[in-house]
Amino acid sequence: MTLTATPAPVEENATPATPPRSRPLRLLAVLSGAGLLIAVLAAWNLTHGIPELSLAGAWRALTGDGMDAASFVVRELRAPRIVAALLCGAALGVAGVILQDALRNPIADPSLLGISQSVALVDVLLVMFPGFLPDFAHPVLFLLAGLATGALLVLTARSVRDPVRLILIGFMLSLFYATLTDVITLIGPVKAGDELSAFFRFQIGSLSGATWSTLGSVWPWLVVALPVALLCGRSLNLLQLGDDVAAGLGMNVARARLVLLFVAVLLVAPAVSVSGPIEFVALISPHVCRALLATTNAYVVLPAAAAVGALTVLAADTLGRLLFFPLEVPAGLWTVVVIGPVAVWLAGTQLKRKAVDE
């Protein structure tokens, strides 16, 4: 028997202990809590490191007119890194909701489906062979790589209804892209040690290279994609009902899934181009939000996942930068160590459910 998604995320299906009218209050609580923690982490990032600053000193460095050493560090190194973490985390969190609901697969994730790795493959080509394309064209190339992988997944999803098998196909794509990346790294022109080190940090998932310049080439994509994604709640809720039911209610399922996948890639590709493939953020953020909100209703899960994703990436980057200071651990390692076991547990749960259904 084919594994199906959770029943329709309409309020009538809410658990009796959580009345429908409590949904806005729960969403407000999640957004407020995430916002408070983000503010604390942002302040911690601005004030700690070399030089060590008070909160008032960091604020003066951030908003003042001068450009002494402290102002340069705060404005040009710490501040863009915080903004990058928030933008990338929000994009990944929302993309996770879209992929899981559109594909009706609770363990769908850009890294498990090969989307992140396809963007990383393009990045290694650009690093190893600089000057091939002007900088402004790089985000477009990242989007094309992600869309090509996404289109392949949509075509596969039409013939493979089993979510676990679809994940296995995505994993094989990820492995294929990762192998190509390794081959290109080995046979490509030799780079300087510092440049190669920065490249490997990027491949693991790191925000250490985030600058206002790199953000300038990707934030327009995210500013467009995030609001559009937050308007996809109705389509995602219908797809959770199953393809046949959604089609019976008037939805063109194939077209809707293709549009949703395009939106997901529009979120993932720019984010990965800045942060690298930070693993499992898109996988775990939607599940945390569904648990906190006690609903699968995409209308409320989408904004909550944006906040939780932003908080997760900022927390991982903060740990990576400051916990073992001056040694820096890439944010992607923290997400793998902390969230990886949860991802394995989720995959095992889905396999058990499939076995019971069969």
Side-chain angles (χ1 to χ4, degrees):
M1 181 176 179
T2 304
L3 181 65
T4 57
T6 305
V10 293
E11 298 300 343
E12 289 78 1
N13 289 338
T15 57
T18 308
R21 60 178 173 272
S22 71
R23 294 289 185 261
L25 294 178
R26 281 177 174 258
L27 177 60
L28 180 61
V30 170
L31 295 179
S32 300
L36 178 61
L37 291 174
I38 285 171
V40 171
L41 289 172
W44 189 265
N45 270 280
L46 286 174
T47 56
H48 285 73
I50 299 177
E52 191 105 359
L53 301 170
S54 66
L55 190 58
W59 178 254
R60 285 194 298 270
L62 186 63
T63 59
D65 295 329
M67 188 53 77
D68 54 10
S71 297
F72 176 81
V73 169
V74 170
R75 290 185 204 170
E76 302 300 326
L77 299 180
R78 297 178 186 174
R81 188 162 174 168
I82 293 170
V83 174
L86 296 179
L87 281 176
C88 294
L92 291 174
V94 172
V97 177
I98 293 176
L99 289 173
Q100 290 171 16
D101 287 349
L103 299 176
R104 297 179 60 236
N105 190 326
I107 52 177
D109 174 87
S111 59
L112 294 176
L113 295 175
I115 297 174
S116 295
Q117 283 73 15
S118 67
V119 177
L121 174 61
V122 171
D123 178 75
V124 71
L125 286 170
L126 295 174
V127 169
M128 292 296 170
F129 304 98
F132 180 71
L133 287 175
D135 290 345
F136 70 85
H138 292 183
V140 177
L141 197 58
F142 292 139
L143 288 175
L144 291 176
L147 285 173
T149 301
L152 181 59
L153 288 171
V154 168
L155 293 174
T156 304
R158 296 177 65 179
S159 58
V160 178
R161 301 282 182 166
D162 186 345
V164 176
R165 291 179 182 175
L166 189 61
I167 284 292
L168 291 176
I169 293 172
F171 175 75
M172 294 303 296
L173 282 174
S174 299
L175 186 61
F176 173 70
Y177 291 137
T179 302
L180 283 182
T181 299
D182 291 339
V183 170
I184 293 170
T185 304
L186 289 173
I187 67 175
V190 177
K191 298 293 178 180
D194 290 343
E195 187 174 355
L196 198 58
S197 176
F199 165 72
F200 283 121
R201 284 198 304 271
F202 173 86
Q203 290 295 313
I204 295 172
S206 173
L207 291 156
S208 61
T211 64
W212 293 122
S213 176
T214 57
L215 283 175
S217 63
V218 300
W219 72 261
W221 301 93
L222 296 179
V223 166
V224 171
L226 276 170
V228 170
L230 295 175
L231 298 175
C232 294
R234 181 178 181 275
S235 297
L236 294 173
N237 285 342
L238 287 176
L239 286 173
Q240 289 184 54
L241 298 171
D243 290 3
D244 294 337
V245 176
L249 293 173
M251 170 180 279
N252 185 324
V253 173
R255 184 173 62 188
R257 186 168 280 133
L258 188 61
V259 170
L260 289 168
L261 188 63
F262 174 79
V263 174
V265 173
L266 194 60
L267 291 166
V268 172
V272 173
S273 71
V274 173
S275 66
I278 297 181
E279 306 288 351
F280 302 138
V281 174
L283 171 65
I284 203 64
S285 297
H287 288 285
V288 170
C289 294
R290 293 179 189 120
L292 292 174
L293 298 169
T295 183
T296 60
N297 189 339
Y299 281 115
V300 292
V301 173
L302 283 167
V308 171
L311 173 61
T312 301
V313 174
L314 183 59
D317 188 56
T318 302
L319 286 173
R321 191 174 77 86
L322 297 175
L323 186 61
F324 299 111
F325 188 82
L327 175 66
E328 181 167 325
V329 179
L333 284 181
W334 285 109
T335 58
V336 168
V337 170
V338 177
I339 304 177
V342 180
V344 173
W345 174 80
L346 283 172
T349 300
Q350 296 308 311
L351 287 171
K352 289 180 181 178
R353 288 180 181 175
K354 181 178 182 297
V356 170
D357 288 342
E358 292 178 344

